[in-house]
Amino acid sequence: QEQLIESGGGSVQTGGSLTLSCAALGFTFRSRCVVWFRQAPGKEREEVASIYRSFAAPVTVDSVKGRFMVSRDDDKSTSILHMNNLGPEDTAVYSCAVSRAGGDCTEIRIWGQGTQVTVSS
């Protein structure tokens, strides 16, 4: 069974840091783009970071640029999202997702279950 298992969510105070992990099970990880999304209460889901392949530069959206960093370890079939200098606006459910094998970052096929991140002021 193809799965993405996320971990590392939790509660922190403003200015704190969290590291989220996304582990892939049951499929080839290295040939897929990894995308991290978040969805805050009452808001639409938004993409926050992606990394196409291990040789590609990671991409982050402007709202988290300089604070979030995404990486991947294809040997471990894992992606990591490091989040620094968190603020209340970062409170959301964070999910990782991957593309189809050989696909680009818009061709999402598998989703993780999501993990809650709560930042208090």
Side-chain angles (χ1 to χ4, degrees):
Q1 184 178 1
E2 299 178 337
Q3 297 183 71
L4 291 171
I5 308 297
E6 293 138 351
S7 60
S11 298
V12 295
Q13 292 187 326
T14 296
S17 300
L18 281 174
T19 297
L20 306 183
S21 178
C22 175
L25 301 174
F27 62 91
T28 302
F29 182 75
R30 66 180 66 246
S31 65
R32 303 174 190 250
C33 176
V34 179
V35 186
W36 285 88
F37 295 86
R38 68 183 180 185
Q39 187 166 21
K43 295 187 177 181
E44 293 188 357
R45 184 172 59 208
E46 66 169 336
E47 178 179 329
V48 294
S50 64
I51 182 164
Y52 176 63
R53 299 290 190 272
S54 59
F55 55 77
V59 176
T60 51
V61 298
D62 287 347
S63 60
V64 305
K65 199 174 295 292
R67 301 188 298 121
F68 290 16
M69 183 175 67
V70 61
S71 63
R72 62 188 295 161
D73 184 335
D74 289 345
D75 290 336
K76 296 180 179 179
S77 296
T78 300
S79 176
I80 301 294
L81 183 67
H82 293 285
M83 305 184 296
N84 299 309
N85 194 22
L86 288 161
E89 68 277 12
D90 298 312
T91 294
V93 175
Y94 285 72
S95 302
C96 65
V98 296
S99 68
R100 66 172 178 83
D104 64 34
C105 300
T106 66
E107 302 175 86
I108 298 299
R109 290 292 182 270
I110 304 171
W111 289 87
Q113 81 281 7
T115 185
Q116 177 70 45
V117 171
T118 303
V119 186
S120 59
S121 57

